[in-house]
Amino acid sequence: MTTWKIDESHSEIGFKVKHLMITNVSGYFTRFSGEVLTESEDFHDATINFEAEANSVDTQNGQRDEHLRNGEFFDAVTFPKISFKSKKIKKVDGDHYKLVGDLTIKGQTHPIELDVEHGGVTVDPWGQQKAGFALKGRLHRTDYGLRWNATTEAGGIVLSDEVKLLMEVQLVKS
């Protein structure tokens, strides 16, 4: 069994949410960790555990970030971790996979399926073996208790329920 760890300094855990239903607002989690266990070279049998610190949410707007950390969204004091545990990986073709697992946000756990593209494996200039992955998925934030919303004067909604997940993950072999 080979253990790989997420290289936090070379990875991004991001999301996008429609604002006023006309543009996307992007955000990231800046503190996270993860471990991947696998016996195969192509990761088709991997077991994945991941955690992000809810209070590390960063949308490049301090007021919005504080709102996201409070009880109307992540409630980061009560629920400090967002976690993912894999259940299975299905190889679609070539370097493309479907990753199925349980995502827990704000104490609510639901299954989620992510599209994964394996970017390859290489050795960095310091002799460390690295593996790269791009992951995409979608979730409905209200499923996880992230229910805050408002309406505009015209009757439109401020935030969409759908959240797009966009991650670039670099692993380092332990």
Side-chain angles (χ1 to χ4, degrees), residues 2-174:
T2 304
T3 301
W4 298 75
K5 302 275 187 190
I6 291 181
D7 182 347
E8 189 176 338
S9 64
H10 295 105
S11 299
E12 293 180 352
I13 307 302
F15 60 90
K16 291 184 180 288
V17 178
K18 279 269 194 210
H19 182 255
L20 299 175
M21 306 316 289
I22 58 172
T23 57
N24 283 302
V25 171
S26 298
Y28 300 89
F29 291 94
T30 60
R31 290 187 306 279
F32 50 86
S33 62
E35 181 178 81
V36 176
L37 302 173
T38 185
E39 289 188 19
S40 68
E41 301 226 349
D42 70 355
F43 294 85
H44 76 271
D45 63 347
T47 301
I48 301 155
N49 288 296
F50 169 84
E51 284 190 341
E53 293 183 28
N55 69 359
S56 77
V57 66
D58 184 353
T59 64
Q60 299 182 3
N61 179 297
Q63 185 177 357
R64 180 173 49 225
D65 294 345
E66 283 307 313
H67 190 203
L68 290 171
R69 290 179 186 116
N70 80 24
E72 291 183 324
F73 284 96
F74 292 114
D75 194 1
V77 171
T78 307
F79 303 100
K81 302 286 185 189
I82 294 168
S83 65
F84 173 83
K85 294 190 183 308
S86 66
K87 287 185 162 180
K88 68 179 174 179
I89 297 177
K90 299 181 280 189
K91 189 167 189 166
V92 177
D93 62 46
D95 293 328
H96 296 91
Y97 301 82
K98 294 284 187 188
L99 171 58
V100 179
D102 288 330
L103 179 64
T104 302
I105 301 173
K106 201 174 178 180
Q108 301 288 317
T109 303
H110 297 283
I112 189 167
E113 183 175 278
L114 303 171
D115 295 320
V116 180
E117 183 178 353
H118 182 205
V121 178
T122 192
V123 177
D124 72 11
W126 300 272
Q128 295 178 307
Q129 194 167 2
K130 301 279 189 102
F133 298 89
L135 300 92
K136 294 179 184 177
R138 297 173 190 271
L139 62 83
H140 294 279
R141 63 186 181 85
T142 54
D143 290 347
Y144 296 91
L146 309 176
R147 290 183 166 71
W148 182 89
N149 216 338
T151 54
T152 65
E153 283 184 22
I157 59 172
V158 174
L159 293 176
S160 69
D161 184 39
E162 183 180 87
V163 177
K164 297 175 189 172
L165 305 175
L166 305 162
M167 298 159 276
E168 295 288 334
V169 176
Q170 191 173 111
L171 301 176
V172 60
K173 190 174 183 179
S174 294

